[in-house]
């Protein structure tokens, strides 16, 4: 899993050049849900970026999702 998380961070760093990227695995918070799948990750991503800060929230989300689509 650590390799996967590093790939996510690398993609974001390469595309956005942010000041900081924090990636938190919150899968444990979902483990008691009916639809929980241990093969899926539940991640919280906190990005400090001037580029994203100057965008509308929806546009910033679109940029992040387009970077991580693969």
């Amino acid at each position: 899993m650590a390799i996967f998380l590093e790939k996510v961070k690398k993609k974001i760093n390469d595309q956005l050049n942010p000041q900081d990227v924090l990636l938190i695995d919150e899968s444990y918070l979902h483990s008691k849900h009916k639809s929980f799948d241990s093969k899926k990750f539940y991640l919280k991503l906190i990005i400090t970026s001037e580029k994203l800060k100057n965008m509308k929230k929806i546009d910033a989300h679109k940029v992040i999702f387009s970077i991580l689509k693969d």
Side-chain angles (χ1 to χ4, degrees):
M1 177 158 145
I3 294 171
F4 172 74
L5 297 178
E6 287 304 315
K7 283 183 181 181
V8 169
K9 278 187 174 183
K10 182 174 177 6
K11 280 186 173 190
I12 293 169
N13 282 321
D14 290 350
Q15 295 282 327
L16 291 176
N17 194 24
Q19 288 80 22
D20 192 31
V21 177
L22 182 59
L23 194 55
I24 304 166
D25 179 11
E26 292 188 339
S27 299
Y28 70 95
L29 295 173
H30 301 268
S31 63
K32 296 191 183 196
H33 296 176
K34 276 186 188 179
S35 61
F36 179 74
D37 184 353
S38 62
K39 295 175 187 151
K40 293 183 179 179
F41 299 113
Y42 298 88
L43 303 175
K44 181 175 189 174
L45 187 58
I46 301 172
I47 303 170
T48 306
S49 166
E50 285 301 316
K51 179 179 178 180
L52 295 177
K53 186 177 182 179
N54 294 326
M55 295 178 151
K56 292 181 181 177
K57 193 171 187 176
I58 188 73
D59 293 332
H61 278 86
K62 286 178 181 179
V63 168
I64 297 300
F65 282 115
S66 70
I67 291 170
L68 299 177
K69 69 182 174 190
D70 296 328

